[in-house]
Amino acid sequence: MTSLISLSHWLSAAFILSGVLFFVVGTLGLLRFPDIYSRLHALTKADNLGLGLVIAGLVLQAETLTGALKLILIWLLVIASSATTSFLIARAALNRGIQPRSQP
Amino acid sequence: MALFDWGLVLSEILIVTIMVGLIRIVRGPTAADRMLTAQLFGTTSVAILLLLGEAQDNPSLQDVALIFALLAAITGIAFVRHTWNTEPETHD
């Protein structure tokens, strides 16, 4: 039993650390990418995966089932809102005449 | 648990990523590029609140994180529909 608890701890730590790494990579993309469409991609994909990994790590540590379900609900809500918002921003940028960057 | 003393350290790392993301507000160049930093705030602050709640054994921060997620959704959609709206779209 102690080995199972220890495995859960280490798995949780690995999930959370990799999630934070994805957040850092998402911010790097936000700063370094050349146009708004690629920056949208970096932000929505990397940051949401990072949040998913952090929440997966915390679910492993959750003490009650309702706490775990609430964490999963938060993740699903952020995923839905980010997908919707990124689509709306990209469509508005396209309507404004901002062209995607062509091959150099 | 000794494991989640790291929660505070990881929260600080995430706060640094938000602060670095503020550079995008300065560099722009368009309003939507600046809006991306608000989106960054939305997702990263949820992670920060969840990690802090776990580190301090304070479950109510999960509810605060849920409210942040809702506000991030409303903020982004309000920006597109009101601030950066265009004339009637020619497609879709």
PDB file of all heavy atoms in Angstrom, chain B residues 31-66:
ATOM      1  N   ALA B  31      -4.507  44.959 -31.351  1.00  0.00           N
ATOM      2  CA  ALA B  31      -5.264  44.783 -30.107  1.00  0.00           C
ATOM      3  C   ALA B  31      -5.455  43.308 -29.795  1.00  0.00           C
ATOM      4  O   ALA B  31      -5.451  42.906 -28.628  1.00  0.00           O
ATOM      5  CB  ALA B  31      -6.607  45.496 -30.213  1.00  0.00           C
ATOM      6  N   ALA B  32      -5.609  42.495 -30.838  1.00  0.00           N
ATOM      7  CA  ALA B  32      -5.807  41.066 -30.582  1.00  0.00           C
ATOM      8  C   ALA B  32      -4.555  40.433 -30.010  1.00  0.00           C
ATOM      9  O   ALA B  32      -4.641  39.515 -29.188  1.00  0.00           O
ATOM     10  CB  ALA B  32      -6.211  40.368 -31.880  1.00  0.00           C
ATOM     11  N   ASP B  33      -3.378  40.914 -30.423  1.00  0.00           N
ATOM     12  CA  ASP B  33      -2.156  40.384 -29.815  1.00  0.00           C
ATOM     13  C   ASP B  33      -2.124  40.690 -28.328  1.00  0.00           C
ATOM     14  O   ASP B  33      -1.691  39.869 -27.522  1.00  0.00           O
ATOM     15  CB  ASP B  33      -0.926  40.994 -30.492  1.00  0.00           C
ATOM     16  CG  ASP B  33      -0.740  40.458 -31.886  1.00  0.00           C
ATOM     17  OD1 ASP B  33      -0.548  39.243 -32.014  1.00  0.00           O
ATOM     18  OD2 ASP B  33      -0.816  41.247 -32.833  1.00  0.00           O
ATOM     19  N   ARG B  34      -2.596  41.862 -27.962  1.00  0.00           N
ATOM     20  CA  ARG B  34      -2.632  42.193 -26.539  1.00  0.00           C
ATOM     21  C   ARG B  34      -3.691  41.366 -25.829  1.00  0.00           C
ATOM     22  O   ARG B  34      -3.531  41.014 -24.660  1.00  0.00           O
ATOM     23  CB  ARG B  34      -2.903  43.684 -26.375  1.00  0.00           C
ATOM     24  CG  ARG B  34      -1.799  44.522 -26.974  1.00  0.00           C
ATOM     25  CD  ARG B  34      -1.947  45.993 -26.697  1.00  0.00           C
ATOM     26  NE  ARG B  34      -0.733  46.697 -27.078  1.00  0.00           N
ATOM     27  CZ  ARG B  34      -0.520  47.202 -28.282  1.00  0.00           C
ATOM     28  NH1 ARG B  34      -1.445  47.086 -29.215  1.00  0.00           N
ATOM     29  NH2 ARG B  34       0.611  47.819 -28.564  1.00  0.00           N
ATOM     30  N   MET B  35      -4.769  41.053 -26.538  1.00  0.00           N
ATOM     31  CA  MET B  35      -5.812  40.215 -25.936  1.00  0.00           C
ATOM     32  C   MET B  35      -5.286  38.829 -25.619  1.00  0.00           C
ATOM     33  O   MET B  35      -5.772  38.174 -24.692  1.00  0.00           O
ATOM     34  CB  MET B  35      -6.992  40.125 -26.903  1.00  0.00           C
ATOM     35  CG  MET B  35      -8.220  39.507 -26.298  1.00  0.00           C
ATOM     36  SD  MET B  35      -8.793  40.473 -24.910  1.00  0.00           S
ATOM     37  CE  MET B  35      -9.539  39.214 -23.920  1.00  0.00           C
ATOM     38  N   LEU B  36      -4.283  38.376 -26.380  1.00  0.00           N
ATOM     39  CA  LEU B  36      -3.730  37.054 -26.115  1.00  0.00           C
ATOM     40  C   LEU B  36      -3.146  36.978 -24.717  1.00  0.00           C
ATOM     41  O   LEU B  36      -3.178  35.925 -24.079  1.00  0.00           O
ATOM     42  CB  LEU B  36      -2.649  36.716 -27.149  1.00  0.00           C
ATOM     43  CG  LEU B  36      -3.102  36.592 -28.592  1.00  0.00           C
ATOM     44  CD1 LEU B  36      -1.941  36.173 -29.464  1.00  0.00           C
ATOM     45  CD2 LEU B  36      -4.231  35.608 -28.717  1.00  0.00           C
ATOM     46  N   THR B  37      -2.602  38.097 -24.229  1.00  0.00           N
ATOM     47  CA  THR B  37      -2.041  38.061 -22.879  1.00  0.00           C
ATOM     48  C   THR B  37      -3.144  37.901 -21.844  1.00  0.00           C
ATOM     49  O   THR B  37      -2.941  37.248 -20.815  1.00  0.00           O
ATOM     50  CB  THR B  37      -1.233  39.334 -22.621  1.00  0.00           C
ATOM     51  OG1 THR B  37      -0.286  39.478 -23.671  1.00  0.00           O
ATOM     52  CG2 THR B  37      -0.501  39.241 -21.309  1.00  0.00           C
ATOM     53  N   ALA B  38      -4.314  38.478 -22.125  1.00  0.00           N
ATOM     54  CA  ALA B  38      -5.431  38.238 -21.206  1.00  0.00           C
ATOM     55  C   ALA B  38      -5.821  36.765 -21.202  1.00  0.00           C
ATOM     56  O   ALA B  38      -6.161  36.202 -20.150  1.00  0.00           O
ATOM     57  CB  ALA B  38      -6.622  39.105 -21.602  1.00  0.00           C
ATOM     58  N   GLN B  39      -5.765  36.139 -22.390  1.00  0.00           N
ATOM     59  CA  GLN B  39      -6.021  34.700 -22.424  1.00  0.00           C
ATOM     60  C   GLN B  39      -4.976  33.943 -21.611  1.00  0.00           C
ATOM     61  O   GLN B  39      -5.292  32.973 -20.906  1.00  0.00           O
ATOM     62  CB  GLN B  39      -5.996  34.210 -23.876  1.00  0.00           C
ATOM     63  CG  GLN B  39      -7.149  34.717 -24.698  1.00  0.00           C
ATOM     64  CD  GLN B  39      -8.469  34.169 -24.192  1.00  0.00           C
ATOM     65  OE1 GLN B  39      -8.673  32.967 -24.167  1.00  0.00           O
ATOM     66  NE2 GLN B  39      -9.354  35.039 -23.766  1.00  0.00           N
ATOM     67  N   LEU B  40      -3.720  34.395 -21.719  1.00  0.00           N
ATOM     68  CA  LEU B  40      -2.661  33.772 -20.924  1.00  0.00           C
ATOM     69  C   LEU B  40      -2.962  33.898 -19.438  1.00  0.00           C
ATOM     70  O   LEU B  40      -2.804  32.937 -18.679  1.00  0.00           O
ATOM     71  CB  LEU B  40      -1.328  34.443 -21.264  1.00  0.00           C
ATOM     72  CG  LEU B  40      -0.119  34.027 -20.445  1.00  0.00           C
ATOM     73  CD1 LEU B  40       0.304  32.629 -20.812  1.00  0.00           C
ATOM     74  CD2 LEU B  40       1.023  34.990 -20.673  1.00  0.00           C
ATOM     75  N   PHE B  41      -3.415  35.086 -19.036  1.00  0.00           N
ATOM     76  CA  PHE B  41      -3.817  35.251 -17.637  1.00  0.00           C
ATOM     77  C   PHE B  41      -4.904  34.258 -17.262  1.00  0.00           C
ATOM     78  O   PHE B  41      -4.881  33.691 -16.167  1.00  0.00           O
ATOM     79  CB  PHE B  41      -4.345  36.677 -17.422  1.00  0.00           C
ATOM     80  CG  PHE B  41      -3.304  37.648 -16.993  1.00  0.00           C
ATOM     81  CD1 PHE B  41      -2.390  38.138 -17.895  1.00  0.00           C
ATOM     82  CD2 PHE B  41      -3.241  38.073 -15.691  1.00  0.00           C
ATOM     83  CE1 PHE B  41      -1.419  39.036 -17.505  1.00  0.00           C
ATOM     84  CE2 PHE B  41      -2.281  38.973 -15.290  1.00  0.00           C
ATOM     85  CZ  PHE B  41      -1.368  39.461 -16.196  1.00  0.00           C
ATOM     86  N   GLY B  42      -5.862  34.061 -18.162  1.00  0.00           N
ATOM     87  CA  GLY B  42      -6.981  33.197 -17.837  1.00  0.00           C
ATOM     88  C   GLY B  42      -6.549  31.782 -17.508  1.00  0.00           C
ATOM     89  O   GLY B  42      -6.903  31.235 -16.465  1.00  0.00           O
ATOM     90  N   THR B  43      -5.732  31.175 -18.376  1.00  0.00           N
ATOM     91  CA  THR B  43      -5.359  29.783 -18.142  1.00  0.00           C
ATOM     92  C   THR B  43      -4.322  29.669 -17.036  1.00  0.00           C
ATOM     93  O   THR B  43      -4.412  28.791 -16.182  1.00  0.00           O
ATOM     94  CB  THR B  43      -4.810  29.160 -19.429  1.00  0.00           C
ATOM     95  OG1 THR B  43      -3.803  30.016 -19.964  1.00  0.00           O
ATOM     96  CG2 THR B  43      -5.912  28.996 -20.447  1.00  0.00           C
ATOM     97  N   THR B  44      -3.336  30.575 -17.023  1.00  0.00           N
ATOM     98  CA  THR B  44      -2.263  30.414 -16.051  1.00  0.00           C
ATOM     99  C   THR B  44      -2.744  30.721 -14.641  1.00  0.00           C
ATOM    100  O   THR B  44      -2.311  30.079 -13.678  1.00  0.00           O
ATOM    101  CB  THR B  44      -1.085  31.327 -16.426  1.00  0.00           C
ATOM    102  OG1 THR B  44      -0.800  31.146 -17.805  1.00  0.00           O
ATOM    103  CG2 THR B  44       0.144  30.968 -15.637  1.00  0.00           C
ATOM    104  N   SER B  45      -3.653  31.682 -14.503  1.00  0.00           N
ATOM    105  CA  SER B  45      -4.121  31.994 -13.151  1.00  0.00           C
ATOM    106  C   SER B  45      -4.947  30.848 -12.583  1.00  0.00           C
ATOM    107  O   SER B  45      -4.934  30.624 -11.368  1.00  0.00           O
ATOM    108  CB  SER B  45      -4.944  33.276 -13.171  1.00  0.00           C
ATOM    109  OG  SER B  45      -6.078  33.118 -13.979  1.00  0.00           O
ATOM    110  N   VAL B  46      -5.640  30.106 -13.442  1.00  0.00           N
ATOM    111  CA  VAL B  46      -6.355  28.930 -12.940  1.00  0.00           C
ATOM    112  C   VAL B  46      -5.365  27.927 -12.365  1.00  0.00           C
ATOM    113  O   VAL B  46      -5.565  27.387 -11.264  1.00  0.00           O
ATOM    114  CB  VAL B  46      -7.204  28.313 -14.069  1.00  0.00           C
ATOM    115  CG1 VAL B  46      -7.741  26.960 -13.668  1.00  0.00           C
ATOM    116  CG2 VAL B  46      -8.344  29.237 -14.426  1.00  0.00           C
ATOM    117  N   ALA B  47      -4.266  27.694 -13.086  1.00  0.00           N
ATOM    118  CA  ALA B  47      -3.269  26.750 -12.584  1.00  0.00           C
ATOM    119  C   ALA B  47      -2.627  27.261 -11.300  1.00  0.00           C
ATOM    120  O   ALA B  47      -2.391  26.492 -10.357  1.00  0.00           O
ATOM    121  CB  ALA B  47      -2.205  26.501 -13.648  1.00  0.00           C
ATOM    122  N   ILE B  48      -2.353  28.566 -11.240  1.00  0.00           N
ATOM    123  CA  ILE B  48      -1.738  29.127 -10.031  1.00  0.00           C
ATOM    124  C   ILE B  48      -2.659  28.936  -8.833  1.00  0.00           C
ATOM    125  O   ILE B  48      -2.234  28.513  -7.748  1.00  0.00           O
ATOM    126  CB  ILE B  48      -1.421  30.619 -10.246  1.00  0.00           C
ATOM    127  CG1 ILE B  48      -0.281  30.782 -11.245  1.00  0.00           C
ATOM    128  CG2 ILE B  48      -1.050  31.285  -8.936  1.00  0.00           C
ATOM    129  CD1 ILE B  48      -0.046  32.211 -11.638  1.00  0.00           C
ATOM    130  N   LEU B  49      -3.950  29.229  -9.014  1.00  0.00           N
ATOM    131  CA  LEU B  49      -4.886  29.115  -7.894  1.00  0.00           C
ATOM    132  C   LEU B  49      -5.028  27.670  -7.438  1.00  0.00           C
ATOM    133  O   LEU B  49      -5.103  27.387  -6.235  1.00  0.00           O
ATOM    134  CB  LEU B  49      -6.243  29.683  -8.306  1.00  0.00           C
ATOM    135  CG  LEU B  49      -6.296  31.204  -8.355  1.00  0.00           C
ATOM    136  CD1 LEU B  49      -7.526  31.670  -9.095  1.00  0.00           C
ATOM    137  CD2 LEU B  49      -6.295  31.765  -6.951  1.00  0.00           C
ATOM    138  N   LEU B  50      -5.041  26.733  -8.394  1.00  0.00           N
ATOM    139  CA  LEU B  50      -5.172  25.331  -8.004  1.00  0.00           C
ATOM    140  C   LEU B  50      -3.944  24.862  -7.233  1.00  0.00           C
ATOM    141  O   LEU B  50      -4.055  24.163  -6.216  1.00  0.00           O
ATOM    142  CB  LEU B  50      -5.390  24.469  -9.246  1.00  0.00           C
ATOM    143  CG  LEU B  50      -6.717  24.676  -9.976  1.00  0.00           C
ATOM    144  CD1 LEU B  50      -6.776  23.799 -11.207  1.00  0.00           C
ATOM    145  CD2 LEU B  50      -7.887  24.367  -9.071  1.00  0.00           C
ATOM    146  N   LEU B  51      -2.756  25.268  -7.699  1.00  0.00           N
ATOM    147  CA  LEU B  51      -1.542  24.854  -7.000  1.00  0.00           C
ATOM    148  C   LEU B  51      -1.454  25.494  -5.622  1.00  0.00           C
ATOM    149  O   LEU B  51      -1.060  24.851  -4.642  1.00  0.00           O
ATOM    150  CB  LEU B  51      -0.312  25.221  -7.835  1.00  0.00           C
ATOM    151  CG  LEU B  51      -0.072  24.346  -9.063  1.00  0.00           C
ATOM    152  CD1 LEU B  51       1.033  24.919  -9.918  1.00  0.00           C
ATOM    153  CD2 LEU B  51       0.281  22.936  -8.641  1.00  0.00           C
ATOM    154  N   LEU B  52      -1.828  26.772  -5.530  1.00  0.00           N
ATOM    155  CA  LEU B  52      -1.806  27.437  -4.224  1.00  0.00           C
ATOM    156  C   LEU B  52      -2.816  26.802  -3.277  1.00  0.00           C
ATOM    157  O   LEU B  52      -2.544  26.624  -2.088  1.00  0.00           O
ATOM    158  CB  LEU B  52      -2.115  28.924  -4.385  1.00  0.00           C
ATOM    159  CG  LEU B  52      -0.976  29.820  -4.849  1.00  0.00           C
ATOM    160  CD1 LEU B  52      -1.459  31.243  -4.982  1.00  0.00           C
ATOM    161  CD2 LEU B  52       0.174  29.751  -3.871  1.00  0.00           C
ATOM    162  N   GLY B  53      -3.989  26.468  -3.802  1.00  0.00           N
ATOM    163  CA  GLY B  53      -4.990  25.841  -2.956  1.00  0.00           C
ATOM    164  C   GLY B  53      -4.511  24.518  -2.399  1.00  0.00           C
ATOM    165  O   GLY B  53      -4.756  24.183  -1.239  1.00  0.00           O
ATOM    166  N   GLU B  54      -3.787  23.759  -3.231  1.00  0.00           N
ATOM    167  CA  GLU B  54      -3.266  22.480  -2.758  1.00  0.00           C
ATOM    168  C   GLU B  54      -2.132  22.686  -1.758  1.00  0.00           C
ATOM    169  O   GLU B  54      -2.050  21.991  -0.743  1.00  0.00           O
ATOM    170  CB  GLU B  54      -2.778  21.659  -3.947  1.00  0.00           C
ATOM    171  CG  GLU B  54      -2.430  20.232  -3.609  1.00  0.00           C
ATOM    172  CD  GLU B  54      -3.659  19.398  -3.288  1.00  0.00           C
ATOM    173  OE1 GLU B  54      -4.743  19.743  -3.776  1.00  0.00           O
ATOM    174  OE2 GLU B  54      -3.530  18.417  -2.549  1.00  0.00           O
ATOM    175  N   ALA B  55      -1.265  23.683  -2.029  1.00  0.00           N
ATOM    176  CA  ALA B  55      -0.112  23.889  -1.147  1.00  0.00           C
ATOM    177  C   ALA B  55      -0.561  24.375   0.224  1.00  0.00           C
ATOM    178  O   ALA B  55       0.022  24.001   1.243  1.00  0.00           O
ATOM    179  CB  ALA B  55       0.852  24.886  -1.779  1.00  0.00           C
ATOM    180  N   GLN B  56      -1.603  25.219   0.259  1.00  0.00           N
ATOM    181  CA  GLN B  56      -2.056  25.778   1.527  1.00  0.00           C
ATOM    182  C   GLN B  56      -3.229  25.014   2.120  1.00  0.00           C
ATOM    183  O   GLN B  56      -3.790  25.444   3.124  1.00  0.00           O
ATOM    184  CB  GLN B  56      -2.457  27.245   1.323  1.00  0.00           C
ATOM    185  CG  GLN B  56      -1.307  28.105   0.852  1.00  0.00           C
ATOM    186  CD  GLN B  56      -1.749  29.514   0.520  1.00  0.00           C
ATOM    187  OE1 GLN B  56      -2.941  29.799   0.518  1.00  0.00           O
ATOM    188  NE2 GLN B  56      -0.800  30.377   0.236  1.00  0.00           N
ATOM    189  N   ASP B  57      -3.602  23.903   1.500  1.00  0.00           N
ATOM    190  CA  ASP B  57      -4.705  23.070   1.992  1.00  0.00           C
ATOM    191  C   ASP B  57      -5.976  23.905   2.149  1.00  0.00           C
ATOM    192  O   ASP B  57      -6.642  23.876   3.188  1.00  0.00           O
ATOM    193  CB  ASP B  57      -4.324  22.414   3.322  1.00  0.00           C
ATOM    194  CG  ASP B  57      -5.197  21.185   3.583  1.00  0.00           C
ATOM    195  OD1 ASP B  57      -5.881  20.739   2.647  1.00  0.00           O
ATOM    196  OD2 ASP B  57      -5.199  20.703   4.722  1.00  0.00           O
ATOM    197  N   ASN B  58      -6.298  24.654   1.098  1.00  0.00           N
ATOM    198  CA  ASN B  58      -7.434  25.569   1.134  1.00  0.00           C
ATOM    199  C   ASN B  58      -8.343  25.241  -0.046  1.00  0.00           C
ATOM    200  O   ASN B  58      -8.125  25.739  -1.154  1.00  0.00           O
ATOM    201  CB  ASN B  58      -6.924  27.005   1.042  1.00  0.00           C
ATOM    202  CG  ASN B  58      -8.023  27.999   1.294  1.00  0.00           C
ATOM    203  OD1 ASN B  58      -9.188  27.637   1.413  1.00  0.00           O
ATOM    204  ND2 ASN B  58      -7.666  29.252   1.384  1.00  0.00           N
ATOM    205  N   PRO B  59      -9.350  24.399   0.133  1.00  0.00           N
ATOM    206  CA  PRO B  59     -10.155  23.972  -1.024  1.00  0.00           C
ATOM    207  C   PRO B  59     -10.971  25.090  -1.651  1.00  0.00           C
ATOM    208  O   PRO B  59     -11.376  24.979  -2.803  1.00  0.00           O
ATOM    209  CB  PRO B  59     -11.072  22.891  -0.443  1.00  0.00           C
ATOM    210  CG  PRO B  59     -10.479  22.516   0.859  1.00  0.00           C
ATOM    211  CD  PRO B  59      -9.758  23.724   1.362  1.00  0.00           C
ATOM    212  N   SER B  60     -11.211  26.187  -0.925  1.00  0.00           N
ATOM    213  CA  SER B  60     -12.050  27.235  -1.519  1.00  0.00           C
ATOM    214  C   SER B  60     -11.369  27.908  -2.703  1.00  0.00           C
ATOM    215  O   SER B  60     -12.050  28.527  -3.523  1.00  0.00           O
ATOM    216  CB  SER B  60     -12.392  28.281  -0.458  1.00  0.00           C
ATOM    217  OG  SER B  60     -11.217  28.901   0.002  1.00  0.00           O
ATOM    218  N   LEU B  61     -10.037  27.791  -2.811  1.00  0.00           N
ATOM    219  CA  LEU B  61      -9.369  28.378  -3.977  1.00  0.00           C
ATOM    220  C   LEU B  61      -9.776  27.677  -5.263  1.00  0.00           C
ATOM    221  O   LEU B  61      -9.631  28.251  -6.342  1.00  0.00           O
ATOM    222  CB  LEU B  61      -7.855  28.326  -3.798  1.00  0.00           C
ATOM    223  CG  LEU B  61      -7.279  29.344  -2.805  1.00  0.00           C
ATOM    224  CD1 LEU B  61      -5.771  29.284  -2.809  1.00  0.00           C
ATOM    225  CD2 LEU B  61      -7.736  30.747  -3.137  1.00  0.00           C
ATOM    226  N   GLN B  62     -10.260  26.433  -5.174  1.00  0.00           N
ATOM    227  CA  GLN B  62     -10.770  25.792  -6.382  1.00  0.00           C
ATOM    228  C   GLN B  62     -11.975  26.546  -6.927  1.00  0.00           C
ATOM    229  O   GLN B  62     -12.140  26.685  -8.137  1.00  0.00           O
ATOM    230  CB  GLN B  62     -11.161  24.345  -6.086  1.00  0.00           C
ATOM    231  CG  GLN B  62      -9.986  23.420  -5.910  1.00  0.00           C
ATOM    232  CD  GLN B  62     -10.431  21.983  -5.707  1.00  0.00           C
ATOM    233  OE1 GLN B  62     -11.611  21.680  -5.857  1.00  0.00           O
ATOM    234  NE2 GLN B  62      -9.504  21.126  -5.357  1.00  0.00           N
ATOM    235  N   ASP B  63     -12.827  27.042  -6.027  1.00  0.00           N
ATOM    236  CA  ASP B  63     -13.982  27.814  -6.481  1.00  0.00           C
ATOM    237  C   ASP B  63     -13.534  29.129  -7.116  1.00  0.00           C
ATOM    238  O   ASP B  63     -14.110  29.571  -8.113  1.00  0.00           O
ATOM    239  CB  ASP B  63     -14.919  28.089  -5.305  1.00  0.00           C
ATOM    240  CG  ASP B  63     -15.427  26.802  -4.689  1.00  0.00           C
ATOM    241  OD1 ASP B  63     -15.754  25.884  -5.465  1.00  0.00           O
ATOM    242  OD2 ASP B  63     -15.479  26.704  -3.456  1.00  0.00           O
ATOM    243  N   VAL B  64     -12.499  29.743  -6.542  1.00  0.00           N
ATOM    244  CA  VAL B  64     -11.968  30.969  -7.145  1.00  0.00           C
ATOM    245  C   VAL B  64     -11.421  30.669  -8.541  1.00  0.00           C
ATOM    246  O   VAL B  64     -11.622  31.444  -9.484  1.00  0.00           O
ATOM    247  CB  VAL B  64     -10.881  31.571  -6.237  1.00  0.00           C
ATOM    248  CG1 VAL B  64     -10.330  32.845  -6.827  1.00  0.00           C
ATOM    249  CG2 VAL B  64     -11.448  31.834  -4.859  1.00  0.00           C
ATOM    250  N   ALA B  65     -10.743  29.528  -8.689  1.00  0.00           N
ATOM    251  CA  ALA B  65     -10.220  29.152 -10.007  1.00  0.00           C
ATOM    252  C   ALA B  65     -11.356  28.954 -11.001  1.00  0.00           C
ATOM    253  O   ALA B  65     -11.245  29.332 -12.175  1.00  0.00           O
ATOM    254  CB  ALA B  65      -9.392  27.877  -9.886  1.00  0.00           C
ATOM    255  N   LEU B  66     -12.461  28.381 -10.536  1.00  0.00           N
ATOM    256  CA  LEU B  66     -13.604  28.190 -11.435  1.00  0.00           C
ATOM    257  C   LEU B  66     -14.145  29.533 -11.912  1.00  0.00           C
ATOM    258  O   LEU B  66     -14.478  29.706 -13.093  1.00  0.00           O
ATOM    259  CB  LEU B  66     -14.693  27.405 -10.698  1.00  0.00           C
ATOM    260  CG  LEU B  66     -15.893  26.931 -11.505  1.00  0.00           C
ATOM    261  CD1 LEU B  66     -15.444  26.090 -12.675  1.00  0.00           C
ATOM    262  CD2 LEU B  66     -16.822  26.138 -10.623  1.00  0.00           C
TER     263      LEU B  66
END
